[in-house]
Amino acid sequence: MQVKVNGEIKEVRGKKRVGEILEELGLNREEVLVIKNGELLTESDWVEENGEIEVMRVVSGG
Amino acid sequence: MKCRKCRGKAIIKLYEHNLPLCKEHFLEFVEGRVQKAITDFRMVKRKERVLVVVSGGKDSLTLAFILKKLGYRISLLHIDLGIDEYSEISRKFCEEFANLYELPLQVISIKKEWGKGIKELARETYKSPCSLCGLVKRYYFNKFAYENGFSCVATGHNLDDMVSALMANLLGWRISYIAKQTPVLPEEGKLKRRIKPLVYLTEREIGAYAFLQGIPFSRQDCPYAHTASFLKIKHLLNQLEVSSPGTKYSFYLGFLKNKQLFGEGKVTLRECALCGFPTVTEICSFCKTFRKEEVRNYAGES
């Protein structure tokens, strides 16, 4: 599957739950939102092997 | 995962409340938290005029959106810091938002006022861009609110901002700063009341709300954000939050319950000899930074 993080595309293998994807990419669930086809996903949602999702960072530093 | 309220499909789980919610009930939850903060801390009355300071980012624009939805009388102020493309984009988002939701917006441009942006001014004044940014924003939004008859200034500080500032100041034992991490800073003379209606909400909750409501906001980071120590502290607190949900919320509520231990953070304010706005010294930090010639002349005369 393709995961877009900060404008960069990362490849994640296999069908996985969102929580597992975040862990694999070293991302903190408190700091991101996961979006697929314009909808929010929870950590327990599955993403197919050929799926595409976006991870949006929500932490601002200013 | 099912919504706790209606058993529909949950689109988010609020771990600190152990609460999965569908879209409808999540939006309701967020708006409810803003109203609760306003009520709990007696932030503002409905008839009062609120100046919402907007940066173009998700927090301040979401704040403006929700306050309008809740029926408060708001106007927007954006301070264009003149940080090249970053500021151009931030300003565009504020203008787009104001047009979309038919809200009055005033823009103060630092480049217009001083002929240069924050980066150049920081170099000339030997201050860091971040501390100069804070000084400038606080000065201008207070001055604008005072001169235009607003009852208070609302900023988009959220729970993550409050706990990271609290932690940063605790680590350095800056007692007077710790005491000021309250949801309301009361009016004093020409210093207008400052309110933070998003204090019960995390950045994740605000981001999700903005996304679901289709609020257009800037996703860019300030080019100087990497220098801000608060970001590292936010990250540490979020790591704690994952292993122990509710840590941030408990930490902040605990502070509010025990804030008397840190005094009131009160200082004696006087009017700046040059600009007349509140300060603890004879000349305020803003005038000392930007009006050096006048300060020298004043010192010469006195």
Side-chain angles (χ1 to χ4, degrees):
Chain A
M1 73 183 76
Q2 292 196 331
V3 182
K4 188 176 173 188
V5 187
N6 294 337
E8 197 185 318
I9 305 287
K10 294 183 191 271
E11 290 284 342
V12 173
R13 297 177 85 174
K15 175 182 172 175
K16 291 194 162 95
R17 286 189 195 268
V18 167
E20 293 172 297
I21 297 167
L22 293 181
E23 200 171 321
E24 188 172 318
L25 296 176
L27 297 170
N28 186 320
R29 71 176 186 215
E30 289 294 313
E31 298 180 344
V32 299
L33 295 171
V34 180
I35 300 159
K36 182 182 166 192
N37 298 331
E39 307 268 329
L40 285 181
L41 298 181
T42 66
E43 276 206 313
S44 60
D45 286 325
W46 286 96
V47 183
E48 298 296 326
E49 189 167 8
N50 59 354
E52 286 178 23
I53 60 173
E54 183 193 349
V55 175
M56 182 170 89
R57 279 185 67 247
V58 290
V59 175
S60 47
Chain B
M1 201 181 285
K2 300 240 183 265
C3 173
R4 178 74 58 79
K5 298 232 167 179
C6 68
R7 310 303 294 159
K9 185 186 182 308
I11 50 91
I12 192 165
K13 183 173 177 181
L14 308 181
Y15 292 93
E16 69 273 27
H17 306 291
N18 194 24
L19 186 62
L21 292 170
C22 67
K23 178 179 173 177
E24 179 196 343
H25 289 114
F26 171 70
L27 296 178
E28 201 176 89
F29 170 87
V30 169
E31 290 158 14
R33 297 300 275 182
V34 172
Q35 186 57 64
K36 179 174 163 53
I38 291 172
T39 305
D40 284 356
F41 302 109
R42 296 188 185 130
M43 287 184 177
V44 63
K45 296 178 185 147
R46 295 234 175 237
K47 59 181 181 187
E48 293 183 301
R49 291 178 67 220
V50 183
L51 180 69
V52 184
V53 185
V54 290
S55 63
K58 67 178 191 313
D59 300 300
S60 54
L61 294 184
T62 297
L63 173 62
F65 182 95
I66 294 177
L67 287 179
K68 185 184 175 188
K69 196 163 189 255
L70 293 176
Y72 289 94
R73 297 174 61 199
I74 68 167
S75 296
L76 311 179
L77 173 69
H78 174 66
I79 298 169
D80 181 338
L81 298 165
I83 309 175
D84 306 320
E85 195 183 350
Y86 168 77
S87 288
E88 284 168 22
I89 293 172
S90 300
R91 181 176 176 155
K92 280 203 177 88
F93 273 102
C94 293
E95 287 166 346
E96 184 186 347
F97 180 89
N99 285 336
L100 197 55
Y101 300 108
E102 295 175 334
L103 288 165
L105 167 69
Q106 183 71 32
V107 177
I108 295 175
S109 163
I110 298 306
K111 268 192 174 161
K112 264 200 185 142
E113 297 282 316
W114 298 99
K116 321 168 191 196
I118 284 290
K119 190 171 63 178
E120 296 79 22
L121 288 167
R123 243 184 267 129
E124 285 178 18
T125 58
Y126 304 104
K127 284 191 184 304
S128 72
C130 295
S131 68
L132 198 63
C133 170
L135 175 69
V136 160
K137 285 195 294 195
R138 282 190 298 271
Y139 182 85
Y140 278 114
F141 69 58
N142 184 68
K143 185 170 184 286
F144 186 86
Y146 177 80
E147 289 176 347
N148 292 277
F150 287 93
S151 299
C152 61
V153 176
T155 57
H157 289 90
N158 54 57
L159 179 64
D160 289 71
D161 294 325
M162 303 309 288
V163 293
S164 58
L166 197 52
M167 180 61 84
N169 287 307
L170 273 168
L171 287 170
W173 285 106
R174 291 179 285 267
I175 304 290
S176 60
Y177 283 94
I178 293 168
K180 284 184 191 159
Q181 300 310 319
T182 48
V184 180
L185 291 169
E187 177 164 325
E188 202 174 335
K190 288 183 183 176
L191 200 62
K192 300 306 290 186
R193 186 187 340 139
R194 282 173 56 187
I195 65 172
K196 299 162 192 170
L198 299 180
V199 285
Y200 282 150
L201 293 162
T202 65
E203 290 199 269
R204 178 172 167 260
E205 287 158 357
I206 294 163
Y209 184 93
F211 174 78
L212 292 168
Q213 291 286 33
I215 299 170
F217 61 88
S218 169
R219 295 190 193 188
Q220 50 175 4
D221 280 330
C222 172
Y224 299 105
H226 64 280
T227 65
S229 57
F230 282 15
L231 207 51
K232 293 179 187 123
I233 292 175
K234 273 189 183 180
H235 187 60
L236 281 169
L237 286 167
N238 280 328
Q239 286 179 309
L240 280 172
E241 184 72 22
V242 170
S243 57
S244 188
T247 295
K248 292 186 289 193
Y249 195 55
S250 299
F251 182 37
Y252 193 62
L253 289 187
F255 160 70
L256 292 177
K257 209 170 154 186
N258 294 286
K259 62 182 166 57
Q260 70 281 0
L261 295 173
F262 300 100
E264 287 179 17
K266 255 185 138 22
V267 290
T268 307
L269 290 175
R270 54 201 287 193
E271 288 188 3
C272 170
L274 288 185
C275 71
F277 277 92
T279 177
V280 294
T281 51
E282 195 176 359
I283 310 269
C284 74
S285 297
F286 185 87
C287 288
K288 277 185 203 165
T289 305
F290 291 98
R291 299 190 170 114
K292 288 191 158 82
E293 188 72 37
E294 291 173 63
V295 171
R296 273 194 289 272
N297 293 340
Y298 176 82
E301 283 166 17
S302 52

